[in-house]
Amino acid sequence: MQLVQEQKCFGGRQIRYQHESQSLNCSMQFSVFLPPQAEQGAVPALYWLSGLTCTDENFSSKAGAQRMAAELGLALVIPDTSPRGEGVADDPQGAYDLGLGAGFYVNATEAPWNKHYRMYDYVLNELPALVEAELPLSGKRAISGHSMGGHGALVLALRNPERFVSVSAFAPISNPTDCPWGHKALSAYLGEDRAAWAEYDTSLLLKAKGCALPMLVDQGEADNFLAEQLKPQALKAAAEHVGAELTLRLQPGYDHSYYFIASFIEDHLRFHARHLGC
């Protein structure tokens, strides 16, 4: 890990690192907030996955999460949303919802994406192994995210419940096999095999596998993407079908922006802190 920049923040440290990723076959940057309690010993971590067009800096600079994370003694680990750099494939038309900034947290199987786009493996295995070896992290993990990142957080938790103690999301893409964003990304990265798509669909996974982890989801009712792209009703129906512990909160007047995230991030951090034992 190479240090890129570091700032003092609420008694802790906001840090940006760079490293060579074996999973993604490129150089990656990610951000970490270490609370002041990390000076005395290892602390648990919340992994945050950002949405379309974002990098590791959106959450760290816009969500206002560090104050509460410092109070709770909770580290924040914030990866980028896709591989980057020379030779990494991108959408030929420069679309925002495919390629750079739009990795969708899957392991791509189709060329040219399969050379680099393996964000699922990166977030699940490579990044935790790296930061937990190099930083004062206890190995206790929770996961959260926004939009595409909410989809990623829920999929990772549902498929690997032993790796996390809790999961939450803001405006997640809840049923990507049945929305335009999902059709575009999943068909490009995974081909036309709908069974492969289902392995990255939160609602289908929850209905098929259930979930023993506590789940918290916030959705703004004034979100422009709510009806066509996000479909929280599919997630709610799946949770009811299997009796999963899902708290789905519809927030009147809130949109898809970081103003929405900043308004409720304290609730999510406290939710995860309870389950992490902070």
Side-chain angles (χ1 to χ4, degrees):
M1 290 173 13
Q2 296 176 327
L3 180 66
V4 176
Q5 65 185 76
E6 178 177 343
Q7 286 87 27
K8 187 86 169 182
C9 185
F10 292 102
R13 296 186 291 152
Q14 183 65 49
I15 317 168
R16 199 176 197 209
Y17 292 104
Q18 181 172 316
H19 77 112
E20 295 299 320
S21 169
Q22 294 182 351
S23 300
L24 305 177
N25 194 27
C26 66
S27 179
M28 291 292 287
Q29 291 191 336
F30 63 92
S31 294
V32 176
F33 174 71
L34 290 177
Q37 294 87 339
E39 298 295 327
Q40 281 72 53
V43 297
L46 173 67
Y47 286 74
W48 172 271
L49 308 185
S50 294
L52 289 166
T53 76
C54 293
T55 70
D56 58 296
E57 293 188 293
N58 291 76
F59 182 75
S60 61
S61 63
K62 294 181 178 180
Q66 292 92 340
R67 178 188 63 82
M68 184 52 53
E71 179 180 318
L72 296 169
L74 180 61
L76 305 173
V77 180
I78 312 159
D80 201 346
T81 51
S82 69
R84 312 258 179 188
E86 186 177 350
V88 175
D90 194 12
D91 182 77
Q93 282 75 46
Y96 76 94
D97 53 358
L98 186 69
L100 300 183
F104 245 77
Y105 305 101
V106 304
N107 285 339
T109 57
E110 299 296 300
W113 312 104
N114 55 352
K115 184 177 179 182
H116 298 285
Y117 283 74
R118 301 185 62 83
M119 288 297 296
Y120 180 90
D121 278 354
Y122 179 72
V123 174
L124 180 65
N125 296 314
E126 184 176 7
L127 185 59
L130 178 67
V131 296
E132 290 169 12
E134 299 291 337
L135 298 174
L137 302 179
S138 67
K140 293 185 69 174
R141 310 175 201 95
I143 192 165
S144 186
H146 171 231
S147 192
M148 177 185 73
H151 139 80
L154 288 163
V155 166
L156 282 156
L158 287 170
R159 289 176 58 175
N160 307 276
E162 74 284 355
R163 301 293 297 273
F164 306 99
V165 302
S166 52
V167 58
S168 73
F170 291 82
I173 303 172
S174 297
N175 195 192
T177 61
D178 189 31
C179 76
W181 278 342
H183 284 185
K184 183 174 184 177
L186 297 177
S187 63
Y189 297 141
L190 304 175
E192 297 303 326
D193 181 1
R194 292 297 184 108
W197 294 18
E199 290 299 308
Y200 296 99
D201 186 302
T202 295
S203 296
L204 297 182
L205 286 169
L206 182 56
K207 188 174 182 179
K209 299 175 180 292
C211 183
L213 299 180
M215 296 179 286
L216 171 63
V217 174
D218 272 310
Q219 173 63 61
E221 290 188 329
D223 192 320
N224 290 337
F225 304 114
L226 176 56
E228 183 180 30
Q229 303 283 14
L230 305 179
K231 303 195 173 184
Q233 69 275 9
L235 187 64
K236 180 181 179 182
E240 290 174 348
H241 180 78
V242 296
E245 186 184 343
L246 169 66
T247 300
L248 173 61
R249 309 190 304 185
L250 300 178
Q251 304 292 0
Y254 284 91
D255 62 12
H256 201 69
S257 72
Y258 265 83
Y259 295 111
F260 165 52
I261 296 170
S263 298
F264 298 102
I265 191 62
E266 180 174 337
D267 291 354
H268 285 243
L269 294 178
R270 290 189 180 280
F271 166 77
H272 291 297
R274 289 196 300 273
H275 296 288
L276 286 164
C278 293

